[in-house]
Amino acid sequence: MTETDRIKYLRIALLLVGLTFTFGIWPLGIVWPSGWAWHEGGRSEYLEMILGIYATLGVFLMIASRDPMAHRSLIWFTIWSSIVHGGIMGVQSIVNPMHMGHLFGDVAALLAVAAVLAVLTPRQTSVRSDLL
């Protein structure tokens, strides 16, 4: 795959992930709570906090989709934070059988997001002459 193709697909992936983070997590928690909502039943301050964090990240990923190379640090933050968050939730899901559904819900989704963005994000850019 050429670098131009990678960036084109990266732009699409960033837009889709951004939209999902901004608008999709809450409906997923309603439709499939055993795979997306960690504190079911009644109001969850935890879920509200996570929704706020991911909605904010989603907006910035949508902005980054316009010029991914100018936002590589945000993309790599998304990759690594998704790996860490998914890994912690994966361990918690295994330790507490009540949360096994998360292995196929938000854990799998975060690891998939990390994998797709990592594969599509170019590793290096040419050195800008104006910095020399």
Side-chain angles (χ1 to χ4, degrees):
M1 180 181 319
T2 68
E3 186 163 322
T4 303
D5 287 339
R6 284 175 82 181
I7 292 173
K8 178 177 86 173
Y9 293 124
L10 177 60
R11 291 182 69 200
I12 294 167
L14 289 169
L15 185 59
L16 293 174
V17 170
L19 286 168
T20 302
F21 279 4
T22 303
F23 301 109
I25 296 175
W26 182 76
L28 284 166
I30 298 297
V31 173
W32 183 14
S34 66
W36 291 89
W38 284 79
H39 300 283
E40 298 176 46
R43 181 173 176 212
S44 170
E45 287 85 5
Y46 167 80
L47 181 59
E48 292 170 5
M49 175 194 65
I50 289 297
L51 291 172
I53 290 169
Y54 275 97
T56 304
L57 179 56
V59 169
F60 279 90
L61 291 175
M62 288 185 279
I63 293 168
S65 73
R66 297 180 195 159
D67 184 6
M69 297 313 292
H71 298 89
R72 286 187 338 143
S73 61
L74 175 67
I75 297 167
W76 282 107
F77 170 79
T78 303
I79 293 166
W80 284 108
S81 66
S82 295
I83 291 168
V84 170
H85 190 181
I88 291 168
M89 289 190 307
V91 169
Q92 291 171 339
S93 296
I94 292 167
V95 170
N96 187 344
M98 178 177 112
H99 293 299
M100 286 299 279
H102 291 281
L103 289 175
F104 307 102
D106 47 13
V107 172
L110 282 174
L111 296 178
V113 163
V116 168
L117 294 181
V119 166
L120 293 175
T121 302
R123 299 300 186 266
Q124 295 181 349
T125 60
S126 58
V127 176
R128 292 179 15 202
S129 61
D130 62 333
L131 294 176
L132 298 176

